[in-house]
Amino acid sequence: MTARAREWDVTESLEVRRPPAAVYAALADSRRMAEWSPEVWRVWSRGDRFVGFNRRALWVWFTVCRVVVADPGREYAFDVTSFGLPVARWGYRLTPTPRGTQVAEYWVDHRRHGWRRHLAELLGLLFTGTPAVRRAARNRAGMRQTLRRLAATCEAAD
């Protein structure tokens, strides 16, 4: 049996039939992520920081997030930590299309080096039930669902 290679980043994209400014406005309101994400059920927001409360099956966890890119109509991204340990960057790149906006959601795993990596991966397994080698695949599936829900919400607001 061949060991599965670890993926450190994932990108999924979908076209939304709304202009980039409208899509960005929805994404930049971090509290709305609970409407779209299959894991986020609540967000507490204050300025450029927010706490995401997440769940999947029996697992429940929270993450602390800080907005690191806020470029209206182009990109929105935030870094995620757990108990002060770097976890990942999540973001959205927006590209105008003739019919609206190509939205690329991306995730970059920040758990790469040293003892902090091992501790963060252990906490990730305990809190989410997802081994590090499967995290990218789980995130990819969640991103597809998030993008479909985001598109439906934005297009319904037309």
Side-chain angles (χ1 to χ4, degrees):
M1 181 177 353
T2 305
R4 184 184 291 184
R6 173 98 180 251
E7 289 182 81
W8 295 96
D9 56 85
V10 174
T11 301
E12 288 290 324
S13 65
L14 181 72
E15 186 174 36
V16 177
R17 290 185 304 265
R18 294 286 288 147
V23 176
Y24 181 89
L27 289 168
D29 183 353
S30 58
R31 296 167 299 179
R32 297 195 68 192
M33 189 52 67
E35 295 175 45
W36 310 312
S37 170
E39 291 184 344
V40 178
W41 59 272
R42 181 162 163 55
V43 175
W44 179 80
S45 180
R46 184 173 180 147
D48 69 344
R49 297 181 186 273
F50 58 96
V51 177
F53 298 91
N54 309 286
R55 70 174 163 227
R56 187 180 60 75
L58 300 175
W59 289 275
V60 178
W61 70 97
F62 71 92
T63 56
V64 177
C65 307
R66 183 176 58 87
V67 176
V68 294
V69 180
D71 188 359
R74 291 191 178 98
E75 185 173 4
Y76 178 78
F78 51 93
D79 283 347
V80 178
T81 61
S82 183
F83 297 102
L85 299 170
V87 174
R89 175 167 294 177
W90 286 88
Y92 300 85
R93 291 186 183 100
L94 311 176
T95 305
T97 67
R99 295 174 12 140
T101 305
Q102 188 72 28
V103 181
E105 181 175 10
Y106 64 92
W107 166 82
V108 179
D109 196 332
H110 284 178
R111 294 164 281 208
R112 294 187 188 227
H113 306 289
W115 68 270
R116 293 170 61 115
R117 168 191 175 180
H118 300 296
L119 180 56
E121 286 182 347
L122 176 62
L123 290 174
L125 176 60
L126 291 173
F127 293 138
T128 71
T130 304
V133 73
R134 294 180 145 178
R135 191 168 291 117
R138 180 165 307 283
N139 287 348
R140 180 177 284 111
M143 292 160 87
R144 290 175 183 156
Q145 192 170 5
T146 297
L147 289 169
R148 285 192 302 268
R149 289 174 175 176
L150 171 69
T153 299
C154 289
E155 291 169 3
D158 195 10

